[in-house]
Amino acid sequence: MKQKLLSLLLLFGLTVSLAAPAAAVEPLHFTDVPTDSWYYTYVQDLYTAGVVDGISLTTFGPQEDVTLGQALKLILLAADCPDTAPTGDHWASGYYSFAREQGFLPEDIPTDLDAPIQRVKIAEIAVRVLDLSRTGSDNPFADTDSEAVLTLFDHGILFGTVVDGQNHFYPQQSITRAEISAIIWRMDHLGQPTPDPKPDPEPDPKPEPDPKPEPDPEPDPKPEPDPKPDPEPDPDPEPTDYFKWGNHQIPIASKIPVNSYNKDLFQKNDKGYITYNSDQYTSRIGIDVSRYQGDIDWKQVKEAGVEFVIIRLGYRGYGTGKIVTDSYFYKNIKGAQAQGLDVGVYFFSQAITPEEGAEEARYCLNALKGYNITYPIIFDWEPYPDSYDARTKDLDDKILTQCAVSFCETVKAAGHQPMVYANLTYFYLHFDMTKLADYPFWLAQYSAKPTFYYHFNIWQYSSTLEVPGIEGNVDMNVHLIPRS
C-alpha cells in the first residue's frame, strides 16, 4: 500500500526551507499545469525543491483529491516537524500518531488515512500546527465562520473564490493537489520577507457534486500564546525595511539582532523536552509555574531534568487594578531554591500607564528581598476577551510599550535583569520593538520550531507537557545560552 500511494498519488520530499520562486527555472513538464494557471508558480517552486512530484512523468493531477495521510505529512513537514517513521501498517501512521500526540488533530478528524480530507479540516490542522490566532476581526467568507479558516485568511495562507460578488471557501469540499500546493508554499514562507508569488486568487471551487475566566482580580492562568490582538499599531515613522508576517508587513527594528538559531538543532530528548546544542549555543530545560500547578514536589522536578523555573510572583486584577501576590509564590520559590534550581519570576501585568508598570516592578523587587534569583524579572502583559470588560481594553499600543519599558527600567535600576514575555502577535503588532531593543525576550510560541524574526533568549514551546512532581500539564521552556 505504501509504495502504491507514493508512486501513483503524490511523491513527497523533505526540505528544510524553500527558496523564493526563481526568475528563470525550467518550465514544468506536466501537461496539465499550464503556465497561466493560478497554481503554476506554487507547483513549480515545490517541484523544483523536491517537495512534490507528479502522478506520472507528464501529469501532475492538480484537481485530484488529497488524502488525510498525504495532507498530514505535507503540513507537518512544512511546519518543520520531524519526518516520522510508520507506527502501523499505513505509510502515514507515524504522522497521524505524532499529530495526535501533539494535539494537532481535531477531535472529529477521520481515521481513514486514504480518504479525502475536507478543506475546513486542513485549516483546523494547519492552525494548530503553526500555533496561529486571528489578527483581524472581519469575516470575508459567505459560507463559513470557522475560526481556523478566518485565522489562515488573516495570515495570508487561505483566500477563497469570489462567486457572484461573494467570497466562498467551500469548507466541506475535499482539497485538491493544486490547492494543497498553494497552502504548503504559504505555510513554508510564513514570516519570511519573501513575497507570495500569487497573492490574490484561490482556485475556482470544484463543481457541487469547504480560556475559562477567573473572578476579578485573579487573572486567567497564562493564556494561549497568540490571543486575539487589538488593532495594529502605527509603524515606525521612517521604517527602512520590512518582513512579511501573514498579510502584514512588519517594520524591522534594526537594533534587535535577527534570529540566527538553526531550527534543525531544536531537538527533543528522551523525555520529550526540547534542547538545543551548537558551536555557539547550549541550552537548559525549564518550566514556569503559578498557583494553578498546586503543590509541587520540587525534588521530583529536579530529578526529571528541569534546570530552571520561572515563578509567577503576582498579578494585577483586570477589573480593579489591585496588585496581588500569587498564593503559591513563596512556597514555590522556597521549594525550588531548596533543590538548587535557578529561579526567575514573572508578573502578570494589567498596567495601563507607565507609572503602573513601574509600580509592578517595585512590587516584585520588594517581594524578592532576601531571595537570590539568578534568572530575570519578567514583564508579562496579556489581553482579556472583550466580554471581560477589562480595564486594559483598547489600551493604546504606545502606552503598552511605555508600560513595558517602565517596568524593565525599574528592574534594571535595581540591579536585576529585566525581560519581556509575549507571543508573535504582540511582539509584531502591538509592542514598538524599537523601544524594546535593550531587553531580552521570552517568546511564547507553541509550535514544533520557533519562527520569531528576532533573537530571543527563552522559548516557551508548550503548555501541555507533564513533569514528574507536578499534577497536570505545565508550561515548558528552553533557555538558549551563548557558549563562552
Side-chain angles (χ1 to χ4, degrees):
M1 177 63 74
K2 176 180 177 182
Q3 293 302 319
K4 180 179 179 182
L5 284 169
L6 290 180
S7 61
L8 297 182
L9 292 177
L10 183 59
L11 301 180
F12 302 111
L14 174 62
T15 180
V16 175
S17 180
L18 302 181
V25 295
E26 290 188 18
L28 286 172
H29 53 260
F30 301 127
T31 59
D32 56 354
V33 184
T35 56
D36 59 351
S37 62
W38 69 267
Y39 48 85
Y40 180 88
T41 305
Y42 298 115
V43 175
Q44 182 189 46
D45 196 25
L46 295 182
Y47 175 76
T48 302
V51 177
V52 300
D53 204 343
I55 58 177
S56 74
L57 291 177
T58 59
T59 305
F60 181 72
Q63 302 308 319
E64 291 196 16
D65 289 337
V66 175
T67 67
L68 171 59
Q70 295 167 345
L72 277 178
K73 179 172 183 178
L74 278 175
I75 291 172
L76 291 172
L77 296 185
D80 287 325
C81 294
D83 199 1
T84 306
T87 57
D89 294 335
H90 196 280
W91 68 267
S93 56
Y95 297 101
Y96 185 91
S97 297
F98 175 82
R100 178 69 73 189
E101 291 170 0
Q102 296 297 316
F104 294 153
L105 298 181
E107 291 183 3
D108 58 348
I109 196 74
T111 57
D112 185 354
L113 292 170
D114 293 326
I117 181 172
Q118 294 176 333
R119 292 158 64 89
V120 69
K121 296 304 175 188
I122 288 285
E124 291 172 0
I125 295 170
V127 162
R128 296 181 183 207
V129 171
L130 294 174
D131 186 36
L132 300 176
S133 64
R134 296 218 61 190
T135 62
S137 58
D138 296 335
N139 182 354
F141 299 106
D143 59 351
T144 183
D145 58 359
S146 164
E147 187 78 5
V149 173
L150 298 179
T151 297
L152 293 187
F153 174 83
D154 290 345
H155 290 273
I157 296 175
L158 293 178
F159 293 101
T161 302
V162 176
V163 179
D164 296 330
Q166 291 186 314
N167 198 20
H168 293 261
F169 179 68
Y170 301 94
Q172 304 308 318
Q173 288 188 0
S174 54
I175 196 162
T176 67
R177 287 158 55 90
E179 293 168 345
I180 199 73
S181 297
I183 290 171
I184 295 307
W185 193 98
R186 293 167 183 157
M187 284 180 61
D188 189 82
H189 288 73
L190 184 66
Q192 296 184 17
T194 49
D196 191 324
K198 290 280 187 179
D200 296 322
E202 279 288 308
D204 291 333
K206 292 179 290 183
E208 288 295 336
D210 194 31
K212 61 187 178 181
E214 289 283 334
D216 185 56
E218 175 74 2
D220 197 34
K222 294 182 73 59
E224 289 295 315
D226 262 327
K228 179 181 177 181
D230 292 331
E232 292 182 49
D234 292 330
D236 290 338
E238 296 181 1
T240 57
D241 203 358
Y242 296 86
F243 65 90
K244 185 178 179 182
W245 186 58
N247 286 331
H248 302 279
Q249 279 198 321
I250 310 299
I252 294 175
S254 59
K255 293 182 180 180
I256 303 177
V258 173
N259 176 0
S260 62
Y261 299 123
N262 183 339
K263 290 193 290 186
D264 291 339
L265 298 183
F266 287 98
Q267 300 290 330
K268 288 186 178 180
N269 64 14
D270 56 356
K271 296 175 182 176
Y273 308 149
I274 288 181
T275 62
Y276 186 94
N277 187 50
S278 72
D279 292 340
Q280 291 78 36
Y281 290 92
T282 184
S283 65
R284 305 184 78 213
I285 297 168
I287 59 175
D288 58 272
V289 301
S290 68
R291 76 169 186 85
Y292 295 100
Q293 277 66 52
D295 292 322
I296 296 175
D297 185 331
W298 289 103
K299 185 174 185 294
Q300 286 191 50
V301 171
K302 176 70 176 294
E303 291 173 348
V306 173
E307 299 168 283
F308 72 92
V309 58
I310 301 173
I311 301 170
R312 187 175 76 162
L313 186 150
Y315 56 88
R316 185 187 291 275
Y318 67 83
T320 64
K322 178 182 177 182
I323 292 180
V324 182
T325 302
D326 186 291
S327 56
Y328 274 71
F329 168 66
Y330 288 108
K331 188 172 187 178
N332 280 334
I333 193 171
K334 290 175 183 178
Q337 290 192 331
Q339 294 300 321
L341 293 172
D342 283 313
V343 171
V345 300
Y346 74 90
F347 187 89
F348 190 101
S349 173
Q350 288 292 281
I352 59 175
T353 67
E355 291 74 21
E356 286 191 351
E359 178 190 21
E360 293 169 352
R362 290 192 297 270
Y363 189 89
C364 292
L365 294 167
N366 186 63
L368 288 168
K369 289 180 179 178
Y371 294 96
N372 179 30
I373 65 167
T374 51
Y375 267 59
I377 300 175
I378 302 164
F379 179 80
D380 170 18
W381 194 101
E382 300 177 30
Y384 278 92
D386 290 345
S387 60
Y388 279 43
D389 196 27
R391 65 200 292 270
T392 53
K393 182 180 178 181
D394 298 326
L395 181 67
D396 184 85
D397 292 325
K398 293 181 180 179
I399 300 298
L400 171 60
T401 302
Q402 292 171 8
C403 291
V405 171
S406 182
F407 180 100
C408 290
E409 286 301 306
T410 303
V411 169
K412 185 191 295 186
H416 289 274
Q417 175 65 66
M419 180 176 276
V420 177
Y421 169 94
N423 55 33
L424 296 180
T425 298
Y426 266 75
F427 275 133
Y428 287 161
L429 301 182
H430 294 282
F431 284 119
D432 180 349
M433 298 298 285
T434 64
K435 303 295 192 300
L436 302 184
D438 292 336
Y439 317 119
F441 299 142
W442 179 13
L443 171 67
Q445 186 182 11
Y446 299 169
S447 59
K449 307 287 183 180
T451 61
F452 190 44
Y453 182 84
Y454 298 107
H455 179 82
F456 56 92
N457 298 74
I458 300 177
W459 174 29
Q460 182 189 76
Y461 57 86
S462 175
S463 64
T464 59
L465 293 183
E466 296 182 354
V467 171
I470 300 177
E471 185 176 353
N473 296 333
V474 66
D475 294 341
M476 293 300 304
N477 299 271
V478 57
H479 180 199
L480 289 309
I481 305 170
R483 293 185 182 276
S484 56

